[in-house]
Every structure is written in C-alpha cells, then in structure tokens.
C-alpha cells in the first residue's frame, strides 16, 4: 500500500500486533511491553522499564540518540473493556474492512503506538541531532495512574526532552489545550433503623441527596457565570454527579451512601475551588444536622482521579513546529483529558495529535481508517527528520 493512500505494511503489522494483546486496564500489559522492549532494543534503543507495586504492569521509555532535548512520542497501552458490546469481529484481532482497521484500541490509541513502533528500524539507523524517546504507559483509562511513575523515572535518569507528542485520536489535528479533571468519591455515613422508626435513624441517602443537589447548583452557576474560553465544545468548567450506591433493604433506613462526582475545569481555573466549596457545604449545612441526631455521622471525600489541564501557552514553539509539519494554521481545544498535561506539568511542552476519531473510541467496532494511519506514519517520519542530522 502506498504512503499516499495508506500506511506501510510494517505499520499494519505493528498495529495488528499491539491490538492482539488484551490490555484492558484490569489486565496486565507486560506481554505488550516485553514485545515492544525486545523490538526497540534490537534496533539499538536504550530501554527503561518502570513497574507498578505488584509488578503486573510496566511503563516503557526507549531512547534513540544522546543528549538533552529531543521529542517524546507517547501513548498508553491500556484499553477499555468490551464487556456487553456486540462486535462484528474479534475485538482483539485486527481486521481490515472497507478501508478501516478494526479492533479494541485501534484509535485509542494503538494505531499511534503501532505507527511509532514501525519506525524502530529507521530510528536505529539515523544520526540524531536530538534524541527521540518512545514512551508507553499503563492505566491511562482508569485515571492516568501509570504516567506519573514514567515521568518520575525519566527525570531521575536525567532525560529532559524539549517536547512531547501524545498520540490520542485527534484526526491528526493538533490539540494544544484540554480541560483538567478531578474525580471524587463521597461516602456519607448515617445510622440504620427500621423504616417504621424513621426518626430514630439518620438516612445517609437523603443527606447525600442534599450534597448532590448542591453539586448540581454549582454546575448550573458555573454555566451561567463562570469563566469561558472559546474553542471548546463546552466553553466553561463543569461538575456532575455520575454514580451512586446506597441502602440494603426496602424497609431499612440506609446507614451508608456513596456517590462519585467529577469536574472538568478550564486551563487557568483553580481546581481546588470546586472541592473546597463542596467540603464547606458539607461541613456547614449537612453534617451538623446529621450529628444532632447521631454524633458518629460522617461525610468523607477521597480523590480517585486527578488529570491536570493542558495550557497551550506553555507549548507555543512545539505547536508551531508540529503545525508546520502538518500544514495546519490553527490548533484545537478539547474537553477530554490526556497524559500530555502530566508532561507539561514537569516542564516538557506537550501537544496531542494522533490518528482516528475520539467519537469511535470505546465503542463496539472501534476503528481507525487506513488513511489516518498513513497520515500518522508520514507525520512521525517528519518528526524524526526534524531531529536528525
């Protein structure tokens, strides 16, 4: 297949290989990491692995070339489950139909990983003015849990890139900014009682509903009066309650209720102000009423996910370079979070650009078009040429 119309055979083979590893976040990614490490090492890369505490998962950082600066090509290896989805083909076996390559992770984001891995032989032969690093992380889909370890290991090793490209699906458009996000679990503890003796209990679900109503109010106020940045699908920060569980019987006053809420905030917005408001409301307006009737009542908050915002003001030079390589004039902004902001937070200017559409990510029959894979391959080759002699 010609580069003009689609990807090389080697890209197809590499994308198919990484789709073949079942790296749903609940599973280990070590088979994929070992495959990548062996391939990259065989072409002369210096490979570093960083494991989770159980050593069931690992990050990989492979470096071609020496010295400071250079660029990171970064992707996450985990994918979302296929449970309950109806697929036309095996989700963990790549299949090409009608100009599309299907499989779990095809666009999010094994298409980018495969296109990058296909350049290993080229990277092993060229002379570098600045190094190229390939970063593969674990557990992005469950809160970006792996990337902090990879970045810490990178910094400890004295590797200081001058830029990072994260290959999340953007239809090969440059994304220069995205919202940050936090996810909290709130646990409300009251006192159980028989429902015929309602006044003797403290209903955790009802007091949790007070909290949820306040969160809804905060979201509505933010939409009306909060800061706005044009270019986002939703140009203001948002906050919402997304799961709730509680109670253990139709005739029992529930002693426990647990719900989760998340907020997605614009770059430049202080993320602590949302949780501070929710905590203050609980402390002043909900918990005192509960403890009047049951002194042991409690409301507890746990942060279970934290993705920084990606601020485009910190990557202007990288944006200009990448847009020049792609022939674009205007970067885009998105509401979803990526690992780019983690690199940005430690002084590595970062943008997002990868093959495929976020609209088909996580869905049954996820795919990436061969045209997008071809465009990604050509782009990565241009990036490599930009840092070689």
């Amino acid at each position: 297949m010609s580069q003009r119309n689609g990807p090389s055979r080697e890209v197809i083979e590499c994308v198919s290989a990484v789709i073949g590893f079942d790296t749903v976040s609940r599973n280990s990614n070590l088979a994929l990491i070992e495959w990548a490490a062996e391939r990259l090492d065989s072409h002369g890369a210096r490979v570093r692995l960083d494991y989770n505490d159980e050593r069931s998962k690992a990050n990989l950082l492979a470096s071609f070339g020496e010295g400071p600066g250079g660029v990171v090509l970064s992707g996450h290896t985990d994918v979302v489950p296929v449970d309950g989805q109806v697929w036309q083909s095996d989700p963990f076996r790549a299949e090409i139909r009608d100009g599309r390559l299907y499989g779990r992770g095809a666009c999010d984001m094994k298409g980018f990983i495969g296109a990058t891995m296909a350049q290993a032989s080229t990277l092993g032969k060229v002379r570098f003015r600045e190094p190229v690093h390939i970063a593969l992380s674990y557990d992005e889909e469950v809160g970006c849990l792996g990337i902090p370890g990879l970045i810490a290991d990178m910094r400890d090793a004295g590797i200081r890139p001058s830029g990072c490209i994260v290959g999340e699906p953007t239809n090969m458009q440059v994304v220069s900014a995205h919202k940050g996000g936090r996810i909290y679990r709130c646990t409300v503890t009251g006192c159980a009682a028989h429902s015929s003796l309602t006044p003797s209990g403290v209903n955790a679900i009802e007091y949790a509903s007070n909290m949820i109503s306040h969160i809804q109010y905060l979201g509505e106020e933010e939409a009306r009066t909060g800061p706005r940045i044009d270019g986002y699908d939703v140009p203001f920060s948002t906050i919402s309650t997304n799961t709730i569980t509680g109670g253990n019987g139709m005739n029992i006053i529930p002693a426990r209720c647990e719900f989760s809420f998340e907020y997605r905030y614009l770059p430049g917005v202080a993320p602590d102000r949302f949780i501070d408001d929710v905590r203050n409301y609980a402390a002043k307006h909900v918990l005192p009423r509960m403890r009047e009737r049951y002194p042991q009542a409690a409301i507890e908050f746990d942060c279970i996910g934290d993705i920084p915002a990606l601020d485009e003001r910190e990557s202007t030079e990288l944006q200009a370079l990448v847009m020049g390589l792609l022939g674009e004039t205007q970067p885009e902004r998105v509401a979803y979070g990526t690992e780019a902001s983690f690199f940005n937070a430690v002084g590595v200017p970062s943008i997002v650009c990868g093959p495929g559409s976020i609209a088909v990510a996580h869905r049954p029959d996820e795919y990436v078009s061969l045209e997008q894979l071809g465009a990604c391959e050509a782009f990565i080759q241009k990036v490599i040429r930009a840092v070689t002699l």
Side-chain angles (χ1 to χ4, degrees):
M1 187 175 293
S2 70
Q3 185 65 56
R4 180 174 56 188
N5 298 320
S8 66
R9 183 178 300 275
E10 191 168 15
V11 167
I12 294 291
E13 291 174 352
C14 286
V15 175
S16 298
V18 294
I19 287 174
F21 294 104
D22 180 354
T23 53
V24 170
S25 303
R26 63 186 175 227
N27 301 332
S28 171
N29 74 336
L30 291 183
L32 189 159
I33 290 294
E34 290 165 0
W35 171 85
E38 181 179 355
R39 182 181 182 90
L40 295 166
D41 178 75
S42 71
H43 290 289
R46 302 180 309 283
V47 178
R48 301 178 60 85
L49 299 182
D50 168 65
Y51 293 88
N52 65 351
D53 291 341
E54 297 78 21
R55 297 187 71 82
S56 60
K57 300 180 181 182
N59 298 311
L60 175 150
L61 183 67
S63 302
F64 291 90
E66 302 280 353
V71 64
V72 180
L73 301 173
S74 179
H76 64 81
T77 59
D78 63 315
V79 296
V80 298
V82 298
D83 303 7
Q85 295 183 343
V86 178
W87 286 65
Q88 294 184 51
S89 55
D90 184 344
F92 298 106
R93 183 173 182 176
E95 182 172 307
I96 295 175
R97 304 192 302 271
D98 302 321
R100 297 171 173 177
L101 189 152
Y102 290 85
R104 174 54 87 219
C107 72
D108 187 17
M109 53 184 299
K110 291 183 173 181
F112 179 82
I113 291 174
T116 301
M117 291 296 300
Q119 304 308 309
S121 59
T122 298
L123 288 165
K125 297 173 185 175
V126 297
R127 294 175 59 203
F128 292 91
R129 186 178 68 256
E130 297 181 54
V132 171
H133 308 281
I134 296 174
L136 303 179
S137 65
Y138 64 85
D139 281 1
E140 188 271 352
E141 296 288 6
V142 290
C144 293
L145 304 183
I147 194 67
L150 186 151
I151 291 175
D153 184 64
M154 178 186 76
R155 305 298 275 180
D156 289 346
I159 299 171
R160 301 187 180 279
S162 55
C164 175
I165 299 168
V166 175
E168 291 279 4
T170 67
N171 285 313
M172 293 307 299
Q173 305 296 306
V174 176
V175 168
S176 60
H178 64 63
K179 291 181 177 180
R182 285 194 188 171
I183 303 173
Y184 284 87
R185 178 175 55 239
C186 178
T187 304
V188 179
T189 303
C191 179
H194 193 285
S195 59
S196 66
L197 302 173
T198 295
S200 64
V202 175
N203 192 314
I205 290 178
E206 292 181 352
Y207 284 104
S209 72
N210 294 166
M211 302 286 300
I212 292 168
S213 293
H214 182 68
I215 289 168
Q216 181 182 14
Y217 167 79
L218 289 179
E220 292 170 349
E221 282 299 292
E222 198 67 19
R224 282 195 293 265
T225 65
R228 289 174 125 74
I229 299 179
D230 293 334
Y232 288 94
D233 289 345
V234 180
F236 47 85
S237 301
T238 60
I239 182 169
S240 61
T241 303
N242 297 336
T243 66
I244 184 168
T245 60
N248 56 0
M250 295 291 291
N251 59 351
I252 304 172
I253 300 299
R256 181 183 174 90
C257 182
E258 181 179 293
F259 65 91
S260 69
F261 62 96
E262 68 150 21
Y263 51 86
R264 295 177 181 262
Y265 58 93
L266 294 168
V269 170
D272 287 340
R273 72 178 176 87
F274 293 99
I275 186 60
D276 288 347
D277 190 303
V278 176
R279 288 182 190 275
N280 289 338
Y281 183 82
K284 293 180 180 179
H285 302 287
V286 182
L287 193 56
R289 290 188 290 127
M290 297 177 69
R291 287 183 170 170
E292 283 180 2
R293 298 167 57 190
Y294 181 60
Q296 288 76 41
I299 300 175
E300 299 170 314
F301 297 91
D302 297 297
C303 183
I304 56 176
D306 186 359
I307 300 174
L310 179 63
D311 193 330
E312 61 196 345
R313 295 171 296 182
E314 299 172 12
S315 60
T316 52
E317 291 185 14
L318 180 63
Q319 291 172 48
L321 170 65
V322 174
M323 286 191 294
L325 296 177
L326 291 170
E328 295 183 22
T329 58
Q330 185 66 38
E332 298 184 351
R333 299 162 178 160
V334 296
Y336 58 84
T338 76
E339 294 177 329
S341 57
F342 288 84
F343 286 97
N344 216 47
V346 296
V348 181
S350 303
I351 58 94
V352 186
C353 183
S357 169
I358 195 69
V360 299
H362 300 189
R363 295 173 57 181
D365 293 323
E366 179 183 347
Y367 69 86
V368 60
S369 73
L370 298 183
E371 181 182 11
Q372 283 279 298
L373 283 178
C376 181
E377 181 178 16
F379 168 62
I380 294 172
Q381 290 170 344
K382 289 178 181 179
V383 171
I384 293 170
R385 286 196 291 270
V387 297
T388 56
L389 298 173

